[in-house]
Amino acid sequence: MKDLENIQGSRVYGRRLTKPLTKTSEARLREYFPKYSISLEGGQVDYTKLFGYNPREVWLEIGFGKGEHLISQAKANPDVGFIGCEPFINGVSGLVDHMVRDNVTNIRFFMDDARLLMDATKKQSVSRAFILFPDPWRKKRHYKRRIVSAGNLTILAEILKDGAQLRIGTDHHDYCRWILARLMEDINFNWNDSHPDEWHKRSADWPQTRYEKKALAVGRKSTYLTFQRKPR
Ligand SMILES: C[S@@+](CC[C@H](N)C(=O)[O-])C[C@H]1O[C@@H](n2cnc3c(N)ncnc32)[C@H](O)[C@@H]1O
């Protein structure tokens, strides 16, 4: 798998392949990679050209893990084009297995650092973004690795359309406070929730992720934050 592990010169932390793929999954990933993966070789990525049709909207998920949320959203919103970013090869393989099994065709994936893709994304082209259970990087000296940072929010704000939703979920209290602080001080986003139910309860159109399920199993409750990209 070395060829796939080294494809794009990533800046991500942690291992990209945690256990070998089965022969079937590896063959499937190799077969569908050219069809469904996003390449940065052509420079700027125009999402409307990725799907072979013009999707009603484009939604982006950063760090989709094994893709349960992405698959559910793609099935529930067949007229939306989904972009998923995930550098973890086992995760991408899980997504592809699921796409093939359930014949889901409105997802394209970028198997690398979401920041590389965001840098190459047309401004104001994304209508919704999800960052679900991002790695909290608990140690202070690792805070700079957190994906929710002032710099990354600036890039995200550029590619989001006016009024676009940004959903962030976390089960980590300290990171939750950090996320709220970063978003409150960012002039491009609003947080309009006023009742605790809005951030303590996952809405019906927010499918549970694998990571959230694991957290719940050991008694950790999650917070569900929804922000809006302010009009320019
Ligand atoms: C804690 S897991 C959560 C996975 C999934 N969202 C869930 O809730 O089950 C965080 C995920 O973010 C991915 N990730 C970390 N840094 C990333 C980056 N720079 N770009 C895209 N994904 C990233 C990791 O590989 C990992 O799969």
Side-chain angles (χ1 to χ4, degrees), residues 185-217:
E185 64 201 18
D186 191 310
I187 54 163
N188 295 313
F189 291 94
N190 272 330
W191 186 46
N192 296 325
D193 290 353
S194 53
H195 193 277
D197 270 3
E198 290 175 279
W199 60 85
H200 285 152
K201 284 194 183 148
R202 189 163 38 75
S203 56
D205 65 348
W206 183 327
Q208 193 178 42
T209 73
R210 174 180 292 246
Y211 199 86
E212 181 194 347
K213 215 182 216 168
K214 275 193 196 167
L216 207 56

Side-chain angles (χ1 to χ4, degrees), residues 10-13 15 61-69 85-89 91 110 112-116 131-137 145 147 152 169 171 208-213:
S10 139
R11 295 177 273 162
V12 293
Y13 305 97
R15 289 173 61 200
E61 182 166 346
I62 294 173
F64 60 72
K66 291 209 165 181
E68 293 84 359
H69 174 270
C85 299
E86 177 54 66
F88 176 47
I89 298 177
F110 181 64
D112 210 325
D113 186 339
R115 291 164 291 185
L116 298 172
I131 309 178
L132 305 177
F133 301 86
D135 298 305
W137 294 108
R145 298 181 178 185
I147 194 86
N152 291 338
D171 60 319
Q208 193 178 42
T209 73
R210 174 180 292 246
Y211 199 86
E212 181 194 347
K213 215 182 216 168

Side-chain angles (χ1 to χ4, degrees), residues 16-223:
R16 302 190 53 169
L17 189 68
T18 47
K19 61 175 184 182
L21 302 182
T22 63
K23 277 210 168 77
T24 314
S25 291
E26 180 174 343
R28 194 172 288 143
L29 180 58
R30 289 192 184 284
E31 181 185 349
Y32 286 92
F33 195 85
K35 191 170 171 193
Y36 291 136
S37 80
I38 300 171
S39 156
L40 299 185
E41 275 167 18
Q44 203 184 54
V45 185
D46 184 352
Y47 291 153
T48 58
K49 303 227 167 79
L50 287 177
F51 296 92
Y53 61 94
N54 209 356
R56 176 174 64 80
E57 288 185 346
V58 170
W59 296 4
L60 168 73
E61 182 166 346
I62 294 173
F64 60 72
K66 291 209 165 181
E68 293 84 359
H69 174 270
L70 195 53
I71 289 276
S72 291
Q73 290 286 11
K75 283 183 180 169
N77 302 281
D79 54 349
V80 172
F82 286 84
I83 309 293
C85 299
E86 177 54 66
F88 176 47
I89 298 177
N90 303 79
V92 176
S93 165
L95 174 80
V96 171
D97 283 345
H98 212 138
M99 284 175 72
V100 173
R101 193 171 65 231
D102 291 2
N103 194 25
V104 177
T105 55
N106 55 333
I107 300 177
R108 298 294 176 272
F109 61 81
F110 181 64
M111 199 168 75
D112 210 325
D113 186 339
R115 291 164 291 185
L116 298 172
L117 182 66
M118 289 198 293
D119 282 342
T121 294
K122 206 171 140 202
K123 293 197 167 76
Q124 301 191 48
S125 60
V126 175
S127 299
R128 194 174 285 199
F130 307 91
I131 309 178
L132 305 177
F133 301 86
D135 298 305
W137 294 108
R138 291 176 170 78
K139 292 182 184 154
K140 204 165 186 178
R141 68 173 188 279
H142 289 154
Y143 283 1
K144 55 182 179 296
R145 298 181 178 185
R146 289 178 165 177
I147 194 86
V148 180
S149 67
N152 291 338
L153 287 175
T154 300
I155 303 171
L156 192 54
E158 281 180 359
I159 65 169
L160 289 176
K161 292 187 175 182
D162 289 358
Q165 244 189 39
L166 166 62
R167 291 183 177 182
I168 307 181
T170 183
D171 60 319
H172 191 271
H173 291 306
D174 175 55
Y175 199 13
C176 185
R177 277 196 297 272
W178 163 286
I179 290 166
L180 278 172
R182 298 293 86 71
L183 268 296
M184 303 291 232
E185 64 201 18
D186 191 310
I187 54 163
N188 295 313
F189 291 94
N190 272 330
W191 186 46
N192 296 325
D193 290 353
S194 53
H195 193 277
D197 270 3
E198 290 175 279
W199 60 85
H200 285 152
K201 284 194 183 148
R202 189 163 38 75
S203 56
D205 65 348
W206 183 327
Q208 193 178 42
T209 73
R210 174 180 292 246
Y211 199 86
E212 181 194 347
K213 215 182 216 168
K214 275 193 196 167
L216 207 56
V218 293
R220 283 200 309 273
K221 288 195 179 146
S222 297
T223 309

